[in-house]
């Protein structure tokens, strides 16, 4: 299994909603990542988990809250988002941090 | 030809021709480089990588060239096909740091 899966594929939420994005990989990778990608821009790193511990938080607002329940799963909890948070949210994993990253298909988020 | 402006740089090539996508990187200490392909509505897909102790690496229909003197990376695609149409990102890594992505180039394959 060489795949990173993400759910849901699409999400529309209001600014008062709470929702979660999910990511899963079964490649035995010990590093997992969340990226945000706006249209026509490269992915921007948000968070890195290494061996289930938060390793990097790239000054992301607290309305985004990551969670790594185990080595295969990564969640991104969303609360009180703003319309400018609308973007494609990508999950990636790598064997260990800073090695080749493999991306999931992303969740397209629209905040109204 | 190639155009750069307010929009994503675009390279247009005829089907069957070879494509060359360029990337200038910023950090002379970067030791590992990856090319990703991102099709519309999908996540980036790993294509090929190269470490700084090499200057060329070949895959199936793709070749990556690394020129450390001028900090330049290129991706060559042989016999470009419609399925190659996508945005291509280079990513560089300084040892001990995370990857930094380039701005991307849109490849458009003309019939």
């Amino acid at each position: 299994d060489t795949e990173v899966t993400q759910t849901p594929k699409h999400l529309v939420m209001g600014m008062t909603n709470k929702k979660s994005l999910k990511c899963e990989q079964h490649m035995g990778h010990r590093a997992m990542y969340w990226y945000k990608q706006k249209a026509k821009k490269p992915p921007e790193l948000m968070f890195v988990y290494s061996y289930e511990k938060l390793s990097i938080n790239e000054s992301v607002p607290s309305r985004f809250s990551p969670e790594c329940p185990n080595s295969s799963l990564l969640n991104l909890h969303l609360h009180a988002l703003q319309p400018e948070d609308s973007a494609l949210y990508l999950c990636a994993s790598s064997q260990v941090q800073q090695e080749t990253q493999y991306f999931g298909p992303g969740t397209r988020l629209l905040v109204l | 030809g190639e155009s750069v402006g307010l929009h994503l740089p675009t390279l247009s090539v005829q089907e069957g021709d070879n494509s060359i996508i360029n990337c200038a990187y910023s950090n002379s200490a970067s030791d590992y480089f990856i090319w990703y392909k991102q099709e519309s509505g999908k996540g980036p897909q790993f294509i090929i990588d190269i470490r700084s102790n090499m200057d060329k690496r070949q895959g199936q229909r793709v070749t990556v060239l690394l020129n450390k003197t001028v900090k330049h990376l290129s991706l060559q695609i042989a016999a470009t096909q419609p399925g190659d149409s996508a945005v291509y990102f280079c990513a560089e890594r300084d040892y001990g740091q995370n990857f930094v992505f380039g701005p991307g180039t849109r490849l458009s394959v003309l019939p």
Side-chain angles (χ1 to χ4, degrees):
Chain A
D1 186 353
T2 58
E3 199 178 13
V4 176
T5 59
Q6 290 186 244
T7 56
K9 283 189 168 48
H10 302 276
L11 180 62
V12 180
M13 60 187 291
M15 289 189 282
T16 58
N17 291 159
K18 281 186 185 182
K19 297 285 184 184
S20 296
L21 309 185
K22 297 186 183 304
C23 174
E24 192 166 3
Q25 57 87 16
H26 294 287
M27 296 180 276
H29 289 175
R30 303 312 300 269
M32 296 185 77
Y33 309 77
W34 280 116
Y35 284 85
K36 174 183 178 180
Q37 187 178 27
K38 299 287 264 185
K40 298 181 181 172
K41 296 290 186 184
E44 295 174 21
L45 185 64
M46 299 174 73
F47 302 104
V48 181
Y49 272 82
S50 179
Y51 291 89
E52 294 106 74
K53 288 187 169 37
L54 184 62
S55 170
I56 292 175
N57 175 341
E58 291 284 2
S59 304
V60 179
S62 60
R63 56 187 186 267
F64 295 91
S65 175
E67 179 197 16
C68 190
N70 60 55
S71 60
S72 300
L73 293 174
L74 186 66
N75 298 323
L76 186 63
H77 303 298
L78 313 173
H79 174 53
L81 293 195
Q82 303 297 309
E84 60 264 27
D85 296 322
S86 299
L88 181 68
Y89 287 85
L90 293 161
C91 174
S93 71
S94 61
Q95 267 196 315
V96 292
Q97 193 172 340
Q98 292 146 14
E99 281 305 315
T100 309
Q101 294 175 25
Y102 296 90
F103 285 83
T107 293
R108 174 92 38 206
L109 174 67
L110 178 62
V111 182
L112 300 176
Chain B
E2 187 170 327
S3 63
V4 176
L6 294 177
H7 304 287
L8 199 62
T10 299
L11 176 67
S12 298
V13 297
Q14 291 291 139
E15 183 178 353
D17 286 353
N18 297 336
S19 303
I20 300 177
I21 301 171
N22 297 305
C23 179
Y25 63 93
S26 55
N27 186 351
S28 56
S30 290
D31 68 337
Y32 182 43
F33 305 84
I34 299 177
W35 279 102
Y36 286 96
K37 171 187 180 183
Q38 188 173 24
E39 296 176 86
S40 182
K42 296 185 179 180
Q45 175 190 358
F46 173 91
I47 302 174
I48 193 167
D49 59 0
I50 189 167
R51 297 194 186 265
S52 59
N53 60 352
M54 303 173 72
D55 51 22
K56 180 178 180 178
R57 190 149 189 247
Q58 286 185 283
Q60 189 176 17
R61 273 201 315 120
V62 294
T63 301
V64 56
L65 298 177
L66 175 62
N67 185 330
K68 293 182 286 294
T69 304
V70 295
K71 292 189 287 187
H72 184 267
L73 192 68
S74 69
L75 176 70
Q76 300 178 358
I77 304 174
T80 313
Q81 302 167 1
D84 295 325
S85 294
V87 177
Y88 290 80
F89 292 102
C90 64
E92 62 175 300
R93 185 205 71 183
D94 184 357
Y95 182 76
Q97 304 298 317
N98 287 296
F99 283 92
V100 175
F101 284 79
T105 297
R106 181 180 301 283
L107 176 65
S108 179
V109 181
L110 307 172

